[in-house]
Amino acid sequence: KQKGGHTLDRALRALHEQFKGAFLSASQFMDASQGRHPLAIEEAYSEMLISALRENEHVFFDDLQLIENVTSCSGFYPRRGMLDTMLTHVCEFAQHNGNKLVFTTENQPLSPLYLRSHSGGVYHFVQDDYKFLCEQFLGERAADLNYDDLYRFAPRLNGHQIRSAAR
């Protein structure tokens, strides 16, 4: 996922629209966590995913880094590494039952996902990407733009920002 952008959010929603199944995000995770002990993050996440996998062939989860940042990025978190264990369990469950899991994250995939998946990303756009997106959003008006200047002065725009500027 491109940091600060919504490019993969849109791609994940498009995949969900095509393949159907469950679309989960941090909001659903927070709902699943209500009433639990604060250190039961991994269990709440695992139960939410397993429940979705039991009912759907495809499960899409957006913004995994929001959970990962809490459980993996602090030396003070007492259950460090538990998220890896839980993801291993969920991936094995999905594989055994013929399910497909799709995650988006701003971070590198955690080991259990990396070892069992195909990963890809949307990286910073180049000048040709700017031109393509502007043509999509502006139509004929895109021919009036100087893409050399646009890219030179704003080389780190994401798709959401280009779309917003085109409005």
PDB file of all heavy atoms in Angstrom, residues 2 7 10 122-143 145 147 150 157-167:
ATOM      1  N   GLN A   2       0.534   2.178  -0.779  1.00  0.00           N
ATOM      2  CA  GLN A   2       1.270   3.416  -0.814  1.00  0.00           C
ATOM      3  C   GLN A   2       0.886   4.209   0.427  1.00  0.00           C
ATOM      4  O   GLN A   2      -0.291   4.441   0.687  1.00  0.00           O
ATOM      5  CB  GLN A   2       0.898   4.173  -2.083  1.00  0.00           C
ATOM      6  CG  GLN A   2       1.783   5.339  -2.389  1.00  0.00           C
ATOM      7  CD  GLN A   2       1.374   5.965  -3.705  1.00  0.00           C
ATOM      8  OE1 GLN A   2       0.217   6.287  -3.899  1.00  0.00           O
ATOM      9  NE2 GLN A   2       2.322   6.148  -4.580  1.00  0.00           N
ATOM     10  N   THR A   7      -4.815   3.817  -2.887  1.00  0.00           N
ATOM     11  CA  THR A   7      -4.744   3.051  -4.119  1.00  0.00           C
ATOM     12  C   THR A   7      -5.094   1.586  -3.886  1.00  0.00           C
ATOM     13  O   THR A   7      -5.917   1.017  -4.600  1.00  0.00           O
ATOM     14  CB  THR A   7      -3.339   3.185  -4.735  1.00  0.00           C
ATOM     15  OG1 THR A   7      -3.039   4.571  -4.878  1.00  0.00           O
ATOM     16  CG2 THR A   7      -3.276   2.516  -6.087  1.00  0.00           C
ATOM     17  N   ARG A  10      -8.807   0.878  -2.881  1.00  0.00           N
ATOM     18  CA  ARG A  10      -9.699   0.798  -4.041  1.00  0.00           C
ATOM     19  C   ARG A  10      -9.516  -0.524  -4.781  1.00  0.00           C
ATOM     20  O   ARG A  10     -10.485  -1.137  -5.220  1.00  0.00           O
ATOM     21  CB  ARG A  10      -9.468   1.992  -4.960  1.00  0.00           C
ATOM     22  CG  ARG A  10      -9.856   3.320  -4.311  1.00  0.00           C
ATOM     23  CD  ARG A  10      -9.454   4.495  -5.180  1.00  0.00           C
ATOM     24  NE  ARG A  10     -10.174   4.532  -6.426  1.00  0.00           N
ATOM     25  CZ  ARG A  10     -11.358   5.096  -6.597  1.00  0.00           C
ATOM     26  NH1 ARG A  10     -11.954   5.667  -5.580  1.00  0.00           N
ATOM     27  NH2 ARG A  10     -11.942   5.104  -7.784  1.00  0.00           N
ATOM     28  N   VAL A 122       1.845  -1.160  -4.845  1.00  0.00           N
ATOM     29  CA  VAL A 122       1.722   0.037  -5.662  1.00  0.00           C
ATOM     30  C   VAL A 122       2.766   0.993  -5.116  1.00  0.00           C
ATOM     31  O   VAL A 122       2.676   1.427  -3.970  1.00  0.00           O
ATOM     32  CB  VAL A 122       0.309   0.655  -5.561  1.00  0.00           C
ATOM     33  CG1 VAL A 122       0.243   1.938  -6.356  1.00  0.00           C
ATOM     34  CG2 VAL A 122      -0.726  -0.344  -6.043  1.00  0.00           C
ATOM     35  N   TYR A 123       3.757   1.250  -5.905  1.00  0.00           N
ATOM     36  CA  TYR A 123       4.855   2.070  -5.451  1.00  0.00           C
ATOM     37  C   TYR A 123       4.673   3.484  -5.985  1.00  0.00           C
ATOM     38  O   TYR A 123       3.663   3.790  -6.608  1.00  0.00           O
ATOM     39  CB  TYR A 123       6.177   1.440  -5.880  1.00  0.00           C
ATOM     40  CG  TYR A 123       6.294   0.043  -5.315  1.00  0.00           C
ATOM     41  CD1 TYR A 123       5.979  -1.066  -6.081  1.00  0.00           C
ATOM     42  CD2 TYR A 123       6.640  -0.148  -3.987  1.00  0.00           C
ATOM     43  CE1 TYR A 123       6.036  -2.345  -5.543  1.00  0.00           C
ATOM     44  CE2 TYR A 123       6.703  -1.423  -3.439  1.00  0.00           C
ATOM     45  CZ  TYR A 123       6.398  -2.511  -4.220  1.00  0.00           C
ATOM     46  OH  TYR A 123       6.446  -3.765  -3.691  1.00  0.00           O
ATOM     47  N   HIS A 124       5.638   4.334  -5.745  1.00  0.00           N
ATOM     48  CA  HIS A 124       5.511   5.714  -6.210  1.00  0.00           C
ATOM     49  C   HIS A 124       5.356   5.738  -7.730  1.00  0.00           C
ATOM     50  O   HIS A 124       6.003   4.990  -8.451  1.00  0.00           O
ATOM     51  CB  HIS A 124       6.727   6.530  -5.779  1.00  0.00           C
ATOM     52  CG  HIS A 124       6.820   6.694  -4.301  1.00  0.00           C
ATOM     53  ND1 HIS A 124       5.952   7.475  -3.591  1.00  0.00           N
ATOM     54  CD2 HIS A 124       7.653   6.157  -3.403  1.00  0.00           C
ATOM     55  CE1 HIS A 124       6.255   7.422  -2.312  1.00  0.00           C
ATOM     56  NE2 HIS A 124       7.286   6.614  -2.168  1.00  0.00           N
ATOM     57  N   PHE A 125       4.476   6.600  -8.153  1.00  0.00           N
ATOM     58  CA  PHE A 125       4.208   6.712  -9.579  1.00  0.00           C
ATOM     59  C   PHE A 125       5.362   7.396 -10.302  1.00  0.00           C
ATOM     60  O   PHE A 125       6.087   8.205  -9.733  1.00  0.00           O
ATOM     61  CB  PHE A 125       2.941   7.543  -9.807  1.00  0.00           C
ATOM     62  CG  PHE A 125       1.690   6.882  -9.315  1.00  0.00           C
ATOM     63  CD1 PHE A 125       0.758   7.598  -8.590  1.00  0.00           C
ATOM     64  CD2 PHE A 125       1.412   5.556  -9.586  1.00  0.00           C
ATOM     65  CE1 PHE A 125      -0.407   7.008  -8.144  1.00  0.00           C
ATOM     66  CE2 PHE A 125       0.249   4.945  -9.146  1.00  0.00           C
ATOM     67  CZ  PHE A 125      -0.658   5.685  -8.417  1.00  0.00           C
ATOM     68  N   VAL A 126       5.495   7.064 -11.575  1.00  0.00           N
ATOM     69  CA  VAL A 126       6.436   7.749 -12.448  1.00  0.00           C
ATOM     70  C   VAL A 126       5.618   8.663 -13.361  1.00  0.00           C
ATOM     71  O   VAL A 126       4.386   8.652 -13.344  1.00  0.00           O
ATOM     72  CB  VAL A 126       7.289   6.743 -13.264  1.00  0.00           C
ATOM     73  CG1 VAL A 126       8.168   5.903 -12.344  1.00  0.00           C
ATOM     74  CG2 VAL A 126       6.428   5.851 -14.124  1.00  0.00           C
ATOM     75  N   GLN A 127       6.304   9.424 -14.169  1.00  0.00           N
ATOM     76  CA  GLN A 127       5.646  10.416 -15.020  1.00  0.00           C
ATOM     77  C   GLN A 127       4.573   9.791 -15.912  1.00  0.00           C
ATOM     78  O   GLN A 127       3.486  10.356 -16.075  1.00  0.00           O
ATOM     79  CB  GLN A 127       6.700  11.136 -15.858  1.00  0.00           C
ATOM     80  CG  GLN A 127       6.150  12.252 -16.711  1.00  0.00           C
ATOM     81  CD  GLN A 127       7.264  12.988 -17.425  1.00  0.00           C
ATOM     82  OE1 GLN A 127       8.408  12.965 -17.011  1.00  0.00           O
ATOM     83  NE2 GLN A 127       6.910  13.652 -18.506  1.00  0.00           N
ATOM     84  N   ASP A 128       4.827   8.631 -16.476  1.00  0.00           N
ATOM     85  CA  ASP A 128       3.830   7.974 -17.331  1.00  0.00           C
ATOM     86  C   ASP A 128       2.566   7.609 -16.556  1.00  0.00           C
ATOM     87  O   ASP A 128       1.461   7.631 -17.107  1.00  0.00           O
ATOM     88  CB  ASP A 128       4.419   6.721 -17.982  1.00  0.00           C
ATOM     89  CG  ASP A 128       5.422   7.046 -19.080  1.00  0.00           C
ATOM     90  OD1 ASP A 128       5.396   8.184 -19.596  1.00  0.00           O
ATOM     91  OD2 ASP A 128       6.219   6.154 -19.420  1.00  0.00           O
ATOM     92  N   ASP A 129       2.729   7.276 -15.282  1.00  0.00           N
ATOM     93  CA  ASP A 129       1.562   6.980 -14.445  1.00  0.00           C
ATOM     94  C   ASP A 129       0.710   8.234 -14.257  1.00  0.00           C
ATOM     95  O   ASP A 129      -0.523   8.177 -14.308  1.00  0.00           O
ATOM     96  CB  ASP A 129       1.982   6.447 -13.075  1.00  0.00           C
ATOM     97  CG  ASP A 129       2.747   5.144 -13.162  1.00  0.00           C
ATOM     98  OD1 ASP A 129       2.370   4.291 -13.985  1.00  0.00           O
ATOM     99  OD2 ASP A 129       3.719   4.984 -12.395  1.00  0.00           O
ATOM    100  N   TYR A 130       1.373   9.366 -14.036  1.00  0.00           N
ATOM    101  CA  TYR A 130       0.646  10.630 -13.895  1.00  0.00           C
ATOM    102  C   TYR A 130      -0.180  10.902 -15.155  1.00  0.00           C
ATOM    103  O   TYR A 130      -1.352  11.254 -15.079  1.00  0.00           O
ATOM    104  CB  TYR A 130       1.627  11.791 -13.683  1.00  0.00           C
ATOM    105  CG  TYR A 130       2.122  11.996 -12.284  1.00  0.00           C
ATOM    106  CD1 TYR A 130       2.436  10.927 -11.444  1.00  0.00           C
ATOM    107  CD2 TYR A 130       2.302  13.275 -11.784  1.00  0.00           C
ATOM    108  CE1 TYR A 130       2.910  11.134 -10.164  1.00  0.00           C
ATOM    109  CE2 TYR A 130       2.766  13.489 -10.509  1.00  0.00           C
ATOM    110  CZ  TYR A 130       3.073  12.415  -9.705  1.00  0.00           C
ATOM    111  OH  TYR A 130       3.538  12.631  -8.430  1.00  0.00           O
ATOM    112  N   LYS A 131       0.479  10.716 -16.300  1.00  0.00           N
ATOM    113  CA  LYS A 131      -0.209  10.981 -17.566  1.00  0.00           C
ATOM    114  C   LYS A 131      -1.407  10.049 -17.737  1.00  0.00           C
ATOM    115  O   LYS A 131      -2.505  10.497 -18.089  1.00  0.00           O
ATOM    116  CB  LYS A 131       0.762  10.813 -18.742  1.00  0.00           C
ATOM    117  CG  LYS A 131       0.143  11.123 -20.080  1.00  0.00           C
ATOM    118  CD  LYS A 131       1.143  11.030 -21.207  1.00  0.00           C
ATOM    119  CE  LYS A 131       0.443  11.386 -22.503  1.00  0.00           C
ATOM    120  NZ  LYS A 131       1.291  11.174 -23.658  1.00  0.00           N
ATOM    121  N   PHE A 132      -1.220   8.767 -17.474  1.00  0.00           N
ATOM    122  CA  PHE A 132      -2.305   7.816 -17.607  1.00  0.00           C
ATOM    123  C   PHE A 132      -3.472   8.183 -16.694  1.00  0.00           C
ATOM    124  O   PHE A 132      -4.636   8.202 -17.127  1.00  0.00           O
ATOM    125  CB  PHE A 132      -1.813   6.399 -17.293  1.00  0.00           C
ATOM    126  CG  PHE A 132      -2.926   5.393 -17.260  1.00  0.00           C
ATOM    127  CD1 PHE A 132      -3.422   4.857 -18.438  1.00  0.00           C
ATOM    128  CD2 PHE A 132      -3.492   4.995 -16.055  1.00  0.00           C
ATOM    129  CE1 PHE A 132      -4.464   3.942 -18.418  1.00  0.00           C
ATOM    130  CE2 PHE A 132      -4.535   4.075 -16.026  1.00  0.00           C
ATOM    131  CZ  PHE A 132      -5.024   3.549 -17.211  1.00  0.00           C
ATOM    132  N   LEU A 133      -3.187   8.456 -15.432  1.00  0.00           N
ATOM    133  CA  LEU A 133      -4.260   8.773 -14.485  1.00  0.00           C
ATOM    134  C   LEU A 133      -4.968  10.072 -14.857  1.00  0.00           C
ATOM    135  O   LEU A 133      -6.200  10.148 -14.787  1.00  0.00           O
ATOM    136  CB  LEU A 133      -3.703   8.856 -13.061  1.00  0.00           C
ATOM    137  CG  LEU A 133      -3.277   7.512 -12.471  1.00  0.00           C
ATOM    138  CD1 LEU A 133      -2.523   7.718 -11.165  1.00  0.00           C
ATOM    139  CD2 LEU A 133      -4.479   6.607 -12.257  1.00  0.00           C
ATOM    140  N   CYS A 134      -4.208  11.072 -15.263  1.00  0.00           N
ATOM    141  CA  CYS A 134      -4.832  12.335 -15.669  1.00  0.00           C
ATOM    142  C   CYS A 134      -5.730  12.138 -16.883  1.00  0.00           C
ATOM    143  O   CYS A 134      -6.818  12.720 -16.963  1.00  0.00           O
ATOM    144  CB  CYS A 134      -3.766  13.394 -15.942  1.00  0.00           C
ATOM    145  SG  CYS A 134      -2.980  14.020 -14.439  1.00  0.00           S
ATOM    146  N   GLU A 135      -5.307  11.306 -17.807  1.00  0.00           N
ATOM    147  CA  GLU A 135      -6.148  11.017 -18.976  1.00  0.00           C
ATOM    148  C   GLU A 135      -7.448  10.333 -18.553  1.00  0.00           C
ATOM    149  O   GLU A 135      -8.515  10.588 -19.115  1.00  0.00           O
ATOM    150  CB  GLU A 135      -5.389  10.153 -19.980  1.00  0.00           C
ATOM    151  CG  GLU A 135      -4.303  10.917 -20.721  1.00  0.00           C
ATOM    152  CD  GLU A 135      -3.384  10.027 -21.538  1.00  0.00           C
ATOM    153  OE1 GLU A 135      -3.440   8.770 -21.387  1.00  0.00           O
ATOM    154  OE2 GLU A 135      -2.586  10.575 -22.321  1.00  0.00           O
ATOM    155  N   GLN A 136      -7.365   9.453 -17.546  1.00  0.00           N
ATOM    156  CA  GLN A 136      -8.565   8.771 -17.064  1.00  0.00           C
ATOM    157  C   GLN A 136      -9.518   9.737 -16.371  1.00  0.00           C
ATOM    158  O   GLN A 136     -10.729   9.666 -16.548  1.00  0.00           O
ATOM    159  CB  GLN A 136      -8.192   7.643 -16.082  1.00  0.00           C
ATOM    160  CG  GLN A 136      -7.293   6.581 -16.654  1.00  0.00           C
ATOM    161  CD  GLN A 136      -7.817   5.995 -17.946  1.00  0.00           C
ATOM    162  OE1 GLN A 136      -8.911   5.471 -17.998  1.00  0.00           O
ATOM    163  NE2 GLN A 136      -7.031   6.101 -19.004  1.00  0.00           N
ATOM    164  N   PHE A 137      -8.965  10.643 -15.576  1.00  0.00           N
ATOM    165  CA  PHE A 137      -9.792  11.530 -14.765  1.00  0.00           C
ATOM    166  C   PHE A 137     -10.204  12.810 -15.490  1.00  0.00           C
ATOM    167  O   PHE A 137     -11.245  13.384 -15.190  1.00  0.00           O
ATOM    168  CB  PHE A 137      -9.069  11.912 -13.470  1.00  0.00           C
ATOM    169  CG  PHE A 137      -8.729  10.731 -12.595  1.00  0.00           C
ATOM    170  CD1 PHE A 137      -7.477  10.624 -12.020  1.00  0.00           C
ATOM    171  CD2 PHE A 137      -9.645   9.718 -12.361  1.00  0.00           C
ATOM    172  CE1 PHE A 137      -7.158   9.545 -11.207  1.00  0.00           C
ATOM    173  CE2 PHE A 137      -9.340   8.631 -11.558  1.00  0.00           C
ATOM    174  CZ  PHE A 137      -8.088   8.549 -10.978  1.00  0.00           C
ATOM    175  N   LEU A 138      -9.389  13.263 -16.441  1.00  0.00           N
ATOM    176  CA  LEU A 138      -9.657  14.541 -17.105  1.00  0.00           C
ATOM    177  C   LEU A 138     -10.143  14.402 -18.540  1.00  0.00           C
ATOM    178  O   LEU A 138     -10.608  15.375 -19.127  1.00  0.00           O
ATOM    179  CB  LEU A 138      -8.396  15.413 -17.093  1.00  0.00           C
ATOM    180  CG  LEU A 138      -7.939  15.908 -15.731  1.00  0.00           C
ATOM    181  CD1 LEU A 138      -6.562  16.541 -15.847  1.00  0.00           C
ATOM    182  CD2 LEU A 138      -8.939  16.896 -15.165  1.00  0.00           C
ATOM    183  N   GLY A 139      -9.972  13.246 -19.133  1.00  0.00           N
ATOM    184  CA  GLY A 139     -10.368  13.069 -20.526  1.00  0.00           C
ATOM    185  C   GLY A 139      -9.522  13.931 -21.448  1.00  0.00           C
ATOM    186  O   GLY A 139      -8.300  14.009 -21.294  1.00  0.00           O
ATOM    187  N   GLU A 140     -10.174  14.635 -22.367  1.00  0.00           N
ATOM    188  CA  GLU A 140      -9.460  15.447 -23.372  1.00  0.00           C
ATOM    189  C   GLU A 140      -8.671  16.591 -22.746  1.00  0.00           C
ATOM    190  O   GLU A 140      -7.671  17.031 -23.299  1.00  0.00           O
ATOM    191  CB  GLU A 140     -10.459  16.002 -24.380  1.00  0.00           C
ATOM    192  CG  GLU A 140     -11.095  14.929 -25.237  1.00  0.00           C
ATOM    193  CD  GLU A 140     -12.152  15.501 -26.177  1.00  0.00           C
ATOM    194  OE1 GLU A 140     -12.273  16.737 -26.289  1.00  0.00           O
ATOM    195  OE2 GLU A 140     -12.857  14.694 -26.809  1.00  0.00           O
ATOM    196  N   ARG A 141      -9.114  17.068 -21.597  1.00  0.00           N
ATOM    197  CA  ARG A 141      -8.406  18.191 -20.941  1.00  0.00           C
ATOM    198  C   ARG A 141      -6.997  17.802 -20.518  1.00  0.00           C
ATOM    199  O   ARG A 141      -6.139  18.662 -20.328  1.00  0.00           O
ATOM    200  CB  ARG A 141      -9.187  18.683 -19.725  1.00  0.00           C
ATOM    201  CG  ARG A 141     -10.539  19.289 -20.095  1.00  0.00           C
ATOM    202  CD  ARG A 141     -11.276  19.786 -18.879  1.00  0.00           C
ATOM    203  NE  ARG A 141     -11.538  18.670 -17.978  1.00  0.00           N
ATOM    204  CZ  ARG A 141     -11.777  18.775 -16.681  1.00  0.00           C
ATOM    205  NH1 ARG A 141     -11.794  19.966 -16.112  1.00  0.00           N
ATOM    206  NH2 ARG A 141     -12.004  17.712 -15.948  1.00  0.00           N
ATOM    207  N   ALA A 142      -6.706  16.500 -20.380  1.00  0.00           N
ATOM    208  CA  ALA A 142      -5.379  16.038 -19.961  1.00  0.00           C
ATOM    209  C   ALA A 142      -4.305  16.398 -20.984  1.00  0.00           C
ATOM    210  O   ALA A 142      -3.130  16.524 -20.634  1.00  0.00           O
ATOM    211  CB  ALA A 142      -5.394  14.536 -19.721  1.00  0.00           C
ATOM    212  N   ALA A 143      -4.683  16.577 -22.241  1.00  0.00           N
ATOM    213  CA  ALA A 143      -3.708  16.913 -23.290  1.00  0.00           C
ATOM    214  C   ALA A 143      -3.074  18.277 -23.053  1.00  0.00           C
ATOM    215  O   ALA A 143      -1.985  18.551 -23.553  1.00  0.00           O
ATOM    216  CB  ALA A 143      -4.378  16.875 -24.660  1.00  0.00           C
ATOM    217  N   LEU A 145      -1.912  19.425 -20.230  1.00  0.00           N
ATOM    218  CA  LEU A 145      -0.955  19.435 -19.118  1.00  0.00           C
ATOM    219  C   LEU A 145       0.466  19.185 -19.584  1.00  0.00           C
ATOM    220  O   LEU A 145       0.710  18.434 -20.519  1.00  0.00           O
ATOM    221  CB  LEU A 145      -1.335  18.367 -18.089  1.00  0.00           C
ATOM    222  CG  LEU A 145      -2.643  18.584 -17.350  1.00  0.00           C
ATOM    223  CD1 LEU A 145      -2.925  17.398 -16.434  1.00  0.00           C
ATOM    224  CD2 LEU A 145      -2.595  19.866 -16.536  1.00  0.00           C
ATOM    225  N   TYR A 147       3.421  17.300 -18.398  1.00  0.00           N
ATOM    226  CA  TYR A 147       3.711  16.251 -17.431  1.00  0.00           C
ATOM    227  C   TYR A 147       5.134  16.314 -16.907  1.00  0.00           C
ATOM    228  O   TYR A 147       5.393  15.867 -15.783  1.00  0.00           O
ATOM    229  CB  TYR A 147       3.379  14.873 -18.019  1.00  0.00           C
ATOM    230  CG  TYR A 147       1.904  14.744 -18.233  1.00  0.00           C
ATOM    231  CD1 TYR A 147       1.335  14.958 -19.485  1.00  0.00           C
ATOM    232  CD2 TYR A 147       1.062  14.475 -17.162  1.00  0.00           C
ATOM    233  CE1 TYR A 147      -0.037  14.881 -19.660  1.00  0.00           C
ATOM    234  CE2 TYR A 147      -0.312  14.406 -17.338  1.00  0.00           C
ATOM    235  CZ  TYR A 147      -0.846  14.613 -18.592  1.00  0.00           C
ATOM    236  OH  TYR A 147      -2.200  14.547 -18.754  1.00  0.00           O
ATOM    237  N   LEU A 150       4.690  18.886 -14.120  1.00  0.00           N
ATOM    238  CA  LEU A 150       3.852  18.324 -13.064  1.00  0.00           C
ATOM    239  C   LEU A 150       4.640  17.331 -12.219  1.00  0.00           C
ATOM    240  O   LEU A 150       4.641  17.400 -10.985  1.00  0.00           O
ATOM    241  CB  LEU A 150       2.620  17.648 -13.675  1.00  0.00           C
ATOM    242  CG  LEU A 150       1.667  16.965 -12.707  1.00  0.00           C
ATOM    243  CD1 LEU A 150       1.097  17.958 -11.716  1.00  0.00           C
ATOM    244  CD2 LEU A 150       0.542  16.283 -13.472  1.00  0.00           C
ATOM    245  N   LEU A 157       2.925  12.270  -5.625  1.00  0.00           N
ATOM    246  CA  LEU A 157       1.466  12.219  -5.513  1.00  0.00           C
ATOM    247  C   LEU A 157       0.999  10.766  -5.580  1.00  0.00           C
ATOM    248  O   LEU A 157       1.602   9.938  -6.255  1.00  0.00           O
ATOM    249  CB  LEU A 157       0.809  13.015  -6.647  1.00  0.00           C
ATOM    250  CG  LEU A 157       1.032  14.523  -6.652  1.00  0.00           C
ATOM    251  CD1 LEU A 157       0.368  15.135  -7.876  1.00  0.00           C
ATOM    252  CD2 LEU A 157       0.514  15.159  -5.378  1.00  0.00           C
ATOM    253  N   ASN A 158      -0.083  10.480  -4.884  1.00  0.00           N
ATOM    254  CA  ASN A 158      -0.685   9.147  -5.009  1.00  0.00           C
ATOM    255  C   ASN A 158      -1.935   9.269  -5.879  1.00  0.00           C
ATOM    256  O   ASN A 158      -2.340  10.367  -6.271  1.00  0.00           O
ATOM    257  CB  ASN A 158      -0.977   8.534  -3.635  1.00  0.00           C
ATOM    258  CG  ASN A 158      -1.954   9.341  -2.820  1.00  0.00           C
ATOM    259  OD1 ASN A 158      -3.008   9.744  -3.293  1.00  0.00           O
ATOM    260  ND2 ASN A 158      -1.615   9.564  -1.549  1.00  0.00           N
ATOM    261  N   GLY A 159      -2.537   8.137  -6.192  1.00  0.00           N
ATOM    262  CA  GLY A 159      -3.689   8.127  -7.082  1.00  0.00           C
ATOM    263  C   GLY A 159      -4.856   8.939  -6.540  1.00  0.00           C
ATOM    264  O   GLY A 159      -5.555   9.616  -7.290  1.00  0.00           O
ATOM    265  N   HIS A 160      -5.080   8.880  -5.235  1.00  0.00           N
ATOM    266  CA  HIS A 160      -6.166   9.642  -4.623  1.00  0.00           C
ATOM    267  C   HIS A 160      -5.937  11.144  -4.791  1.00  0.00           C
ATOM    268  O   HIS A 160      -6.863  11.892  -5.110  1.00  0.00           O
ATOM    269  CB  HIS A 160      -6.267   9.271  -3.147  1.00  0.00           C
ATOM    270  CG  HIS A 160      -7.338   9.986  -2.407  1.00  0.00           C
ATOM    271  ND1 HIS A 160      -8.678   9.714  -2.590  1.00  0.00           N
ATOM    272  CD2 HIS A 160      -7.276  10.996  -1.499  1.00  0.00           C
ATOM    273  CE1 HIS A 160      -9.393  10.511  -1.823  1.00  0.00           C
ATOM    274  NE2 HIS A 160      -8.576  11.292  -1.159  1.00  0.00           N
ATOM    275  N   GLN A 161      -4.705  11.587  -4.596  1.00  0.00           N
ATOM    276  CA  GLN A 161      -4.396  13.007  -4.734  1.00  0.00           C
ATOM    277  C   GLN A 161      -4.539  13.473  -6.183  1.00  0.00           C
ATOM    278  O   GLN A 161      -5.062  14.573  -6.431  1.00  0.00           O
ATOM    279  CB  GLN A 161      -2.962  13.278  -4.231  1.00  0.00           C
ATOM    280  CG  GLN A 161      -2.838  13.091  -2.733  1.00  0.00           C
ATOM    281  CD  GLN A 161      -1.393  13.037  -2.281  1.00  0.00           C
ATOM    282  OE1 GLN A 161      -0.527  12.494  -2.958  1.00  0.00           O
ATOM    283  NE2 GLN A 161      -1.130  13.619  -1.117  1.00  0.00           N
ATOM    284  N   ILE A 162      -4.118  12.650  -7.131  1.00  0.00           N
ATOM    285  CA  ILE A 162      -4.268  13.022  -8.537  1.00  0.00           C
ATOM    286  C   ILE A 162      -5.745  13.104  -8.894  1.00  0.00           C
ATOM    287  O   ILE A 162      -6.189  14.051  -9.558  1.00  0.00           O
ATOM    288  CB  ILE A 162      -3.500  12.035  -9.453  1.00  0.00           C
ATOM    289  CG1 ILE A 162      -1.999  12.171  -9.209  1.00  0.00           C
ATOM    290  CG2 ILE A 162      -3.852  12.263 -10.924  1.00  0.00           C
ATOM    291  CD1 ILE A 162      -1.157  11.115  -9.886  1.00  0.00           C
ATOM    292  N   ARG A 163      -6.509  12.138  -8.458  1.00  0.00           N
ATOM    293  CA  ARG A 163      -7.964  12.146  -8.719  1.00  0.00           C
ATOM    294  C   ARG A 163      -8.628  13.379  -8.110  1.00  0.00           C
ATOM    295  O   ARG A 163      -9.456  14.023  -8.736  1.00  0.00           O
ATOM    296  CB  ARG A 163      -8.583  10.862  -8.178  1.00  0.00           C
ATOM    297  CG  ARG A 163     -10.053  10.761  -8.467  1.00  0.00           C
ATOM    298  CD  ARG A 163     -10.563   9.378  -8.085  1.00  0.00           C
ATOM    299  NE  ARG A 163     -11.978   9.425  -7.895  1.00  0.00           N
ATOM    300  CZ  ARG A 163     -12.593   9.184  -6.760  1.00  0.00           C
ATOM    301  NH1 ARG A 163     -11.922   8.849  -5.693  1.00  0.00           N
ATOM    302  NH2 ARG A 163     -13.888   9.255  -6.676  1.00  0.00           N
ATOM    303  N   SER A 164      -8.263  13.695  -6.872  1.00  0.00           N
ATOM    304  CA  SER A 164      -8.846  14.874  -6.197  1.00  0.00           C
ATOM    305  C   SER A 164      -8.488  16.160  -6.928  1.00  0.00           C
ATOM    306  O   SER A 164      -9.326  17.051  -7.068  1.00  0.00           O
ATOM    307  CB  SER A 164      -8.377  14.951  -4.747  1.00  0.00           C
ATOM    308  OG  SER A 164      -8.869  13.868  -4.012  1.00  0.00           O
ATOM    309  N   ALA A 165      -7.244  16.247  -7.400  1.00  0.00           N
ATOM    310  CA  ALA A 165      -6.812  17.453  -8.117  1.00  0.00           C
ATOM    311  C   ALA A 165      -7.535  17.589  -9.454  1.00  0.00           C
ATOM    312  O   ALA A 165      -7.745  18.696  -9.942  1.00  0.00           O
ATOM    313  CB  ALA A 165      -5.304  17.415  -8.330  1.00  0.00           C
ATOM    314  N   ALA A 166      -7.924  16.480 -10.033  1.00  0.00           N
ATOM    315  CA  ALA A 166      -8.594  16.505 -11.346  1.00  0.00           C
ATOM    316  C   ALA A 166     -10.044  16.954 -11.248  1.00  0.00           C
ATOM    317  O   ALA A 166     -10.646  17.307 -12.264  1.00  0.00           O
ATOM    318  CB  ALA A 166      -8.519  15.121 -11.991  1.00  0.00           C
ATOM    319  N   ARG A 167     -10.607  16.960 -10.075  1.00  0.00           N
ATOM    320  CA  ARG A 167     -12.021  17.334  -9.915  1.00  0.00           C
ATOM    321  C   ARG A 167     -12.233  18.809 -10.099  1.00  0.00           C
ATOM    322  O   ARG A 167     -11.561  19.664  -9.852  1.00  0.00           O
ATOM    323  CB  ARG A 167     -12.534  16.939  -8.538  1.00  0.00           C
ATOM    324  CG  ARG A 167     -12.643  15.457  -8.435  1.00  0.00           C
ATOM    325  CD  ARG A 167     -13.233  15.091  -7.122  1.00  0.00           C
ATOM    326  NE  ARG A 167     -13.368  13.640  -7.061  1.00  0.00           N
ATOM    327  CZ  ARG A 167     -13.658  12.988  -5.975  1.00  0.00           C
ATOM    328  NH1 ARG A 167     -13.869  13.611  -4.864  1.00  0.00           N
ATOM    329  NH2 ARG A 167     -13.758  11.694  -6.004  1.00  0.00           N
TER     330      ARG A 167
END
